[in-house]
Amino acid sequence: MKNNPIMKKILITTALHRESLAELFEKFEVFMPQDKDMKRDQVLEMISDYEVVIPNFSFFTDKEIMDRGVRLEVIANYGVGYNNIDVEYATQKGIVVTNIPKTTCEPTAELAFALLLAAGRRIGYYDRKLREHRAVDWGVYGDAGLPIFGKTLGIIGMGRIGQALARRAVASGMNIIYHNRNRLSPEIEERYGASYVSFDELLRMADFISLNAPSTSQTLKLIGEKEFSVMKPTAVFINTARGNMVDEKALAQALKGKKIWAAGLDVYENEPKISSELLVLDNVVLSPHAGTRTIEDRHRMAEEMVHNIIGFYEGKYEVSRVN
């Protein structure tokens, strides 16, 4: 915790709604773009004057930016994932990195479950076909989807978001298996009726697989050709974590070759670019990194981020520190 925050200067790299930042503007000198996200060269030009920088989850805060930011004390990420920040280098320079895990949990789990339903029940496929006046088989068994009731959901990464997803799945009659770096307590397992299994067992056993682990050097390309080959041909794969955790080309081939049944994706390897192979497939549902994209949730995220900064300088709020 630092003293005298009044004169601290904060650089916000993305245009946010000012009403959710009211406490920040009251206590600090704040620069925020009016309607567009800042470009990298603009940040590099200005960063030397600021103690705090607020990047969003798509702005990479690397060694060059931190070296230019000679006064930097805090990098307050506007997102739960922090693979957009060189945390190791920030730690070396004594810069605190914060994230916002609380307010991002429920909306991300909500979208993950929506993708699970949409991909399994073929909602996107039906919608496209009907709007384009292309043939949909209206027969008793034609163009059938997959049920979720009684099916097994395998969750890779049973943290806050994974557990929020499990709660929704259990309410819908699904069975839960999970894989984590560390096994959860018996109390948490009992809450969801969840069984801990190995990574390979999860891939083989699950009818639906949701990736909810954090993006780290250990989880880079965690799911690729080998992993898709182990899954059931009726498996549905959901990713609301990070795109770099999945080999996108291998995923497209698995979907195209019917090695897995369907996928629901909110994140991609090279956002905002999406593989052209995925764009033409009928057995994948796509959304534009929209896990927290409701106005209410974006306001809550901003408020949690503000609390991290004020908590760091004044101790008024709990700080979610990454390092």
PDB file of all heavy atoms in Angstrom, residues 136-153:
ATOM      1  N   VAL A 136     -33.631 -27.518 -44.290  1.00  0.00           N
ATOM      2  CA  VAL A 136     -33.530 -28.133 -42.973  1.00  0.00           C
ATOM      3  C   VAL A 136     -34.458 -29.329 -42.988  1.00  0.00           C
ATOM      4  O   VAL A 136     -35.599 -29.232 -43.435  1.00  0.00           O
ATOM      5  CB  VAL A 136     -33.954 -27.161 -41.845  1.00  0.00           C
ATOM      6  CG1 VAL A 136     -33.997 -27.878 -40.505  1.00  0.00           C
ATOM      7  CG2 VAL A 136     -32.993 -25.993 -41.761  1.00  0.00           C
ATOM      8  N   ASP A 137     -33.954 -30.461 -42.514  1.00  0.00           N
ATOM      9  CA  ASP A 137     -34.757 -31.672 -42.492  1.00  0.00           C
ATOM     10  C   ASP A 137     -35.741 -31.582 -41.317  1.00  0.00           C
ATOM     11  O   ASP A 137     -35.348 -31.644 -40.159  1.00  0.00           O
ATOM     12  CB  ASP A 137     -33.846 -32.888 -42.339  1.00  0.00           C
ATOM     13  CG  ASP A 137     -34.592 -34.198 -42.524  1.00  0.00           C
ATOM     14  OD1 ASP A 137     -35.830 -34.197 -42.378  1.00  0.00           O
ATOM     15  OD2 ASP A 137     -33.943 -35.221 -42.807  1.00  0.00           O
ATOM     16  N   TRP A 138     -37.014 -31.405 -41.631  1.00  0.00           N
ATOM     17  CA  TRP A 138     -38.056 -31.273 -40.615  1.00  0.00           C
ATOM     18  C   TRP A 138     -38.578 -32.631 -40.151  1.00  0.00           C
ATOM     19  O   TRP A 138     -39.522 -32.701 -39.362  1.00  0.00           O
ATOM     20  CB  TRP A 138     -39.224 -30.435 -41.141  1.00  0.00           C
ATOM     21  CG  TRP A 138     -38.900 -28.982 -41.303  1.00  0.00           C
ATOM     22  CD1 TRP A 138     -38.076 -28.414 -42.227  1.00  0.00           C
ATOM     23  CD2 TRP A 138     -39.419 -27.901 -40.529  1.00  0.00           C
ATOM     24  NE1 TRP A 138     -38.034 -27.058 -42.094  1.00  0.00           N
ATOM     25  CE2 TRP A 138     -38.864 -26.703 -41.056  1.00  0.00           C
ATOM     26  CE3 TRP A 138     -40.305 -27.806 -39.449  1.00  0.00           C
ATOM     27  CZ2 TRP A 138     -39.152 -25.444 -40.526  1.00  0.00           C
ATOM     28  CZ3 TRP A 138     -40.601 -26.551 -38.936  1.00  0.00           C
ATOM     29  CH2 TRP A 138     -40.024 -25.382 -39.461  1.00  0.00           C
ATOM     30  N   GLY A 139     -37.973 -33.693 -40.633  1.00  0.00           N
ATOM     31  CA  GLY A 139     -38.422 -35.032 -40.282  1.00  0.00           C
ATOM     32  C   GLY A 139     -38.184 -35.368 -38.818  1.00  0.00           C
ATOM     33  O   GLY A 139     -37.477 -34.652 -38.093  1.00  0.00           O
ATOM     34  N   VAL A 140     -38.723 -36.479 -38.364  1.00  0.00           N
ATOM     35  CA  VAL A 140     -38.653 -36.876 -36.968  1.00  0.00           C
ATOM     36  C   VAL A 140     -37.217 -36.967 -36.477  1.00  0.00           C
ATOM     37  O   VAL A 140     -36.889 -36.544 -35.363  1.00  0.00           O
ATOM     38  CB  VAL A 140     -39.374 -38.233 -36.765  1.00  0.00           C
ATOM     39  CG1 VAL A 140     -39.199 -38.720 -35.323  1.00  0.00           C
ATOM     40  CG2 VAL A 140     -40.850 -38.102 -37.107  1.00  0.00           C
ATOM     41  N   TYR A 141     -36.337 -37.497 -37.299  1.00  0.00           N
ATOM     42  CA  TYR A 141     -34.951 -37.688 -36.885  1.00  0.00           C
ATOM     43  C   TYR A 141     -33.973 -36.785 -37.656  1.00  0.00           C
ATOM     44  O   TYR A 141     -32.768 -36.844 -37.438  1.00  0.00           O
ATOM     45  CB  TYR A 141     -34.529 -39.149 -37.087  1.00  0.00           C
ATOM     46  CG  TYR A 141     -35.398 -40.131 -36.337  1.00  0.00           C
ATOM     47  CD1 TYR A 141     -36.290 -40.959 -37.012  1.00  0.00           C
ATOM     48  CD2 TYR A 141     -35.333 -40.216 -34.949  1.00  0.00           C
ATOM     49  CE1 TYR A 141     -37.108 -41.854 -36.322  1.00  0.00           C
ATOM     50  CE2 TYR A 141     -36.136 -41.112 -34.255  1.00  0.00           C
ATOM     51  CZ  TYR A 141     -37.019 -41.920 -34.946  1.00  0.00           C
ATOM     52  OH  TYR A 141     -37.818 -42.801 -34.252  1.00  0.00           O
ATOM     53  N   GLY A 142     -34.484 -35.960 -38.545  1.00  0.00           N
ATOM     54  CA  GLY A 142     -33.615 -35.180 -39.416  1.00  0.00           C
ATOM     55  C   GLY A 142     -32.844 -34.085 -38.702  1.00  0.00           C
ATOM     56  O   GLY A 142     -33.387 -33.376 -37.852  1.00  0.00           O
ATOM     57  N   ASP A 143     -31.582 -33.936 -39.044  1.00  0.00           N
ATOM     58  CA  ASP A 143     -30.713 -32.874 -38.507  1.00  0.00           C
ATOM     59  C   ASP A 143     -30.790 -32.787 -36.983  1.00  0.00           C
ATOM     60  O   ASP A 143     -30.861 -31.700 -36.394  1.00  0.00           O
ATOM     61  CB  ASP A 143     -31.087 -31.515 -39.111  1.00  0.00           C
ATOM     62  CG  ASP A 143     -30.626 -31.367 -40.549  1.00  0.00           C
ATOM     63  OD1 ASP A 143     -29.742 -32.150 -40.959  1.00  0.00           O
ATOM     64  OD2 ASP A 143     -31.140 -30.498 -41.263  1.00  0.00           O
ATOM     65  N   ALA A 144     -30.772 -33.944 -36.336  1.00  0.00           N
ATOM     66  CA  ALA A 144     -30.968 -33.995 -34.884  1.00  0.00           C
ATOM     67  C   ALA A 144     -29.749 -33.480 -34.130  1.00  0.00           C
ATOM     68  O   ALA A 144     -28.607 -33.605 -34.581  1.00  0.00           O
ATOM     69  CB  ALA A 144     -31.275 -35.425 -34.456  1.00  0.00           C
ATOM     70  N   GLY A 145     -30.004 -32.920 -32.965  1.00  0.00           N
ATOM     71  CA  GLY A 145     -28.946 -32.468 -32.077  1.00  0.00           C
ATOM     72  C   GLY A 145     -28.666 -33.485 -30.991  1.00  0.00           C
ATOM     73  O   GLY A 145     -29.130 -34.638 -31.049  1.00  0.00           O
ATOM     74  N   LEU A 146     -27.913 -33.048 -29.978  1.00  0.00           N
ATOM     75  CA  LEU A 146     -27.559 -33.908 -28.852  1.00  0.00           C
ATOM     76  C   LEU A 146     -28.209 -33.387 -27.580  1.00  0.00           C
ATOM     77  O   LEU A 146     -28.223 -32.184 -27.346  1.00  0.00           O
ATOM     78  CB  LEU A 146     -26.037 -33.940 -28.653  1.00  0.00           C
ATOM     79  CG  LEU A 146     -25.192 -34.518 -29.788  1.00  0.00           C
ATOM     80  CD1 LEU A 146     -23.712 -34.329 -29.467  1.00  0.00           C
ATOM     81  CD2 LEU A 146     -25.511 -35.984 -30.013  1.00  0.00           C
ATOM     82  N   PRO A 147     -28.714 -34.275 -26.716  1.00  0.00           N
ATOM     83  CA  PRO A 147     -29.260 -33.829 -25.439  1.00  0.00           C
ATOM     84  C   PRO A 147     -28.145 -33.536 -24.449  1.00  0.00           C
ATOM     85  O   PRO A 147     -27.004 -33.988 -24.624  1.00  0.00           O
ATOM     86  CB  PRO A 147     -30.078 -35.046 -24.984  1.00  0.00           C
ATOM     87  CG  PRO A 147     -29.322 -36.210 -25.545  1.00  0.00           C
ATOM     88  CD  PRO A 147     -28.783 -35.741 -26.879  1.00  0.00           C
ATOM     89  N   ILE A 148     -28.463 -32.768 -23.420  1.00  0.00           N
ATOM     90  CA  ILE A 148     -27.488 -32.572 -22.348  1.00  0.00           C
ATOM     91  C   ILE A 148     -27.896 -33.291 -21.067  1.00  0.00           C
ATOM     92  O   ILE A 148     -27.048 -33.621 -20.247  1.00  0.00           O
ATOM     93  CB  ILE A 148     -27.238 -31.073 -22.059  1.00  0.00           C
ATOM     94  CG1 ILE A 148     -28.476 -30.401 -21.472  1.00  0.00           C
ATOM     95  CG2 ILE A 148     -26.761 -30.355 -23.310  1.00  0.00           C
ATOM     96  CD1 ILE A 148     -28.191 -29.028 -20.900  1.00  0.00           C
ATOM     97  N   PHE A 149     -29.193 -33.528 -20.877  1.00  0.00           N
ATOM     98  CA  PHE A 149     -29.664 -34.191 -19.667  1.00  0.00           C
ATOM     99  C   PHE A 149     -29.063 -35.591 -19.568  1.00  0.00           C
ATOM    100  O   PHE A 149     -29.115 -36.375 -20.514  1.00  0.00           O
ATOM    101  CB  PHE A 149     -31.194 -34.280 -19.653  1.00  0.00           C
ATOM    102  CG  PHE A 149     -31.749 -34.886 -18.391  1.00  0.00           C
ATOM    103  CD1 PHE A 149     -31.915 -34.105 -17.259  1.00  0.00           C
ATOM    104  CD2 PHE A 149     -32.073 -36.231 -18.334  1.00  0.00           C
ATOM    105  CE1 PHE A 149     -32.424 -34.652 -16.084  1.00  0.00           C
ATOM    106  CE2 PHE A 149     -32.572 -36.793 -17.170  1.00  0.00           C
ATOM    107  CZ  PHE A 149     -32.747 -36.003 -16.044  1.00  0.00           C
ATOM    108  N   GLY A 150     -28.462 -35.892 -18.420  1.00  0.00           N
ATOM    109  CA  GLY A 150     -27.875 -37.203 -18.205  1.00  0.00           C
ATOM    110  C   GLY A 150     -26.500 -37.389 -18.816  1.00  0.00           C
ATOM    111  O   GLY A 150     -25.886 -38.448 -18.661  1.00  0.00           O
ATOM    112  N   LYS A 151     -25.994 -36.375 -19.508  1.00  0.00           N
ATOM    113  CA  LYS A 151     -24.685 -36.465 -20.153  1.00  0.00           C
ATOM    114  C   LYS A 151     -23.582 -36.003 -19.196  1.00  0.00           C
ATOM    115  O   LYS A 151     -23.838 -35.344 -18.189  1.00  0.00           O
ATOM    116  CB  LYS A 151     -24.650 -35.627 -21.430  1.00  0.00           C
ATOM    117  CG  LYS A 151     -25.634 -36.103 -22.500  1.00  0.00           C
ATOM    118  CD  LYS A 151     -25.328 -37.513 -22.966  1.00  0.00           C
ATOM    119  CE  LYS A 151     -26.272 -37.963 -24.072  1.00  0.00           C
ATOM    120  NZ  LYS A 151     -25.973 -39.331 -24.523  1.00  0.00           N
ATOM    121  N   THR A 152     -22.349 -36.334 -19.546  1.00  0.00           N
ATOM    122  CA  THR A 152     -21.198 -36.010 -18.701  1.00  0.00           C
ATOM    123  C   THR A 152     -20.461 -34.797 -19.239  1.00  0.00           C
ATOM    124  O   THR A 152     -20.045 -34.775 -20.407  1.00  0.00           O
ATOM    125  CB  THR A 152     -20.232 -37.203 -18.623  1.00  0.00           C
ATOM    126  OG1 THR A 152     -20.898 -38.298 -17.988  1.00  0.00           O
ATOM    127  CG2 THR A 152     -18.990 -36.853 -17.814  1.00  0.00           C
ATOM    128  N   LEU A 153     -20.311 -33.794 -18.393  1.00  0.00           N
ATOM    129  CA  LEU A 153     -19.528 -32.603 -18.723  1.00  0.00           C
ATOM    130  C   LEU A 153     -18.158 -32.719 -18.075  1.00  0.00           C
ATOM    131  O   LEU A 153     -18.046 -32.881 -16.857  1.00  0.00           O
ATOM    132  CB  LEU A 153     -20.234 -31.344 -18.209  1.00  0.00           C
ATOM    133  CG  LEU A 153     -19.429 -30.032 -18.268  1.00  0.00           C
ATOM    134  CD1 LEU A 153     -19.041 -29.696 -19.703  1.00  0.00           C
ATOM    135  CD2 LEU A 153     -20.220 -28.887 -17.631  1.00  0.00           C
TER     136      LEU A 153
END
